[in-house]
Amino acid sequence: MLGSIVFWFGTIAVLVAAFAAGYFVLATRRIAGEAERAVPASGQFLALGRHRIHYVEQGQGRPILFLHGLGGQLHHFRHTLFGRLGGDFHLVAIDRPGSGYSARPAEFSGSLTEQARLVRDFIAAKGLERPLIVGHSLGGAVALALALDHPDSMSGLALLSPLTHVEDELRPEFRSLYVRSSWLRHLLANTIWVPTSLKYAPLTLAFVFGPQQPTKDYAIGGGGLAGLRPSHIYATSSDLVAIEQDLASLEARYEELKMPVGVLFGTADRVIDYRLNAEPLVGRIGNLELELVDGLGHMPQFIEPQRVDTFIRRIAARAFAVV
């Protein structure tokens, strides 16, 4: 009798779990479909091995290549800066592997050195002549890996709110995405992560943009809705986990950087602390220019695009002058 009761309770539990999983799968597909219609792929694609990289380009002149941060995509630059810089430079922005509409193979871990190698291959395939690399947030860490491991592929670095050093503890806002198991990441990305990301989007944007308000056109023009897709959120989690693979070994080598490097950082950044990721670079990178902006948060290209435009032009002048 007891065995029958346990059996039926177990069966009911399985059915409830299956129903819940099915509900979240369908919700994820619906949200992702709406997101893709709102922010479709709008650039070109380049095959690099088993990668398929989505990118946009505009303008003529010396090349500038943009690398977005964790959970971002190429609209973080296209929407905010291309209209300002496109008349004077050849601008190229990519969706990093797995983010936005770029595809990544299953065996790609997303380590900084792996991503840097892929960026080097992209530069070569596109025939970009030693571009200035603009990296935001995690894209700044990828840019630094590129500069350390493949310095001949580029002319200089203009970094916006970059991740440069390992922090002792993962911030609470990132903990739900820190999932080491790839199969569990896949399961969560296709069930609960997308609906919960949509539910908590206002809190996430307040954290990322704070203390400033998110721009009103961020969802469409800034590409924010493109993040509500399983492949994108899977890549975001993978990249977060992969940071610990090689950031510490890269930060030990910053004295090797000889090219012009500019860093723009807001002192009110809630995502990455300038005291841990900007000030320690002073004295370690010989050709460094550090610009701290009082009261600015983590998204300077959206909040102060004119300042960022001026900053990029200033670093570009230095970088291209010595190539």
Side-chain angles (χ1 to χ4, degrees):
M1 181 67 178
L2 180 60
S4 297
I5 293 174
V6 171
F7 170 78
W8 283 111
F9 270 109
T11 301
I12 292 171
V14 169
L15 290 174
V16 170
F19 175 81
Y23 167 81
F24 280 113
V25 167
L26 291 175
T28 293
R29 290 178 179 176
R30 176 182 58 80
I31 295 168
E34 293 173 354
E36 289 177 356
R37 287 188 289 274
V39 186
S42 55
Q44 304 175 67
F45 290 90
L46 177 66
L48 293 173
R50 296 183 61 195
H51 291 269
R52 189 167 180 256
I53 301 300
H54 180 233
Y55 70 97
V56 293
E57 60 183 330
Q58 176 182 317
Q60 306 253 336
R62 297 304 302 269
I64 301 179
L65 177 62
F66 296 84
L67 305 176
H68 63 79
L70 184 73
Q73 26 65 42
L74 56 80
H75 292 288
H76 281 195
F77 300 112
R78 182 190 200 180
H79 180 63
T80 57
L81 298 175
F82 272 34
R84 296 172 179 272
L85 293 163
D88 301 304
F89 299 96
H90 177 196
L91 308 178
V92 183
I94 70 170
D95 284 335
R96 289 190 298 100
S99 298
Y101 286 94
S102 288
R104 65 198 275 173
E107 66 273 13
F108 185 80
S109 75
S111 73
L112 299 174
T113 51
E114 276 186 310
Q115 296 207 43
R117 200 157 45 239
L118 190 70
V119 174
R120 176 206 61 188
D121 293 345
F122 178 89
I123 291 170
K126 284 290 296 174
L128 302 178
E129 183 183 355
R130 299 196 66 187
L132 174 72
I133 307 297
V134 177
H136 173 239
S137 195
L138 180 63
V142 175
L144 284 163
L146 178 69
L148 288 165
D149 290 345
H150 314 285
D152 293 339
S153 67
M154 54 184 295
S155 62
L157 295 173
L159 307 179
L160 308 173
S161 315
L163 175 69
T164 67
H165 287 70
V166 177
E167 297 193 12
D168 293 335
E169 186 177 356
L170 188 67
R171 299 191 179 217
E173 293 83 359
F174 295 116
R175 287 174 188 164
S176 64
L177 283 174
Y178 186 85
V179 177
R180 298 181 63 87
S181 167
S182 60
W183 73 263
L184 183 55
R185 281 200 301 270
H186 180 77
L187 175 65
L188 294 171
N190 285 278
T191 53
I192 66 171
W193 268 347
V194 170
T196 54
S197 293
L198 180 61
K199 178 180 179 180
Y200 293 106
L203 291 176
T204 301
L205 291 178
F207 169 63
V208 172
F209 275 86
Q212 288 78 41
Q213 292 294 315
T215 54
K216 293 181 179 180
D217 57 355
Y218 177 73
I220 304 296
L225 287 175
L228 296 175
R229 299 164 53 248
S231 58
H232 180 97
I233 203 164
Y234 176 91
T236 300
S237 174
S238 300
D239 289 350
L240 177 64
V241 172
I243 290 170
E244 63 192 27
Q245 289 188 37
D246 47 12
L247 180 56
S249 62
L250 291 169
E251 73 176 67
R253 298 170 53 199
Y254 288 152
E255 283 83 1
E256 298 176 20
L257 294 171
K258 306 303 179 185
M259 64 187 67
V261 178
V263 174
L264 187 149
F265 230 119
T267 62
D269 193 323
R270 298 173 179 176
V271 180
I272 300 177
D273 192 332
Y274 77 97
R275 293 165 296 185
L276 301 176
N277 290 275
E279 290 182 340
L281 299 175
V282 177
R284 296 195 61 197
I285 299 176
N287 212 356
L288 174 71
E289 176 182 328
L290 173 59
E291 180 177 351
L292 296 178
V293 184
D294 188 48
L296 182 64
H298 189 63
M299 303 294 273
Q301 69 271 47
F302 284 93
I303 303 303
E304 293 210 27
Q306 182 56 55
R307 182 189 291 272
V308 173
D309 170 271
T310 301
F311 167 75
I312 291 174
R313 289 178 183 275
R314 188 167 66 248
I315 304 305
R318 291 175 52 206
F320 293 141
V322 299
V323 173

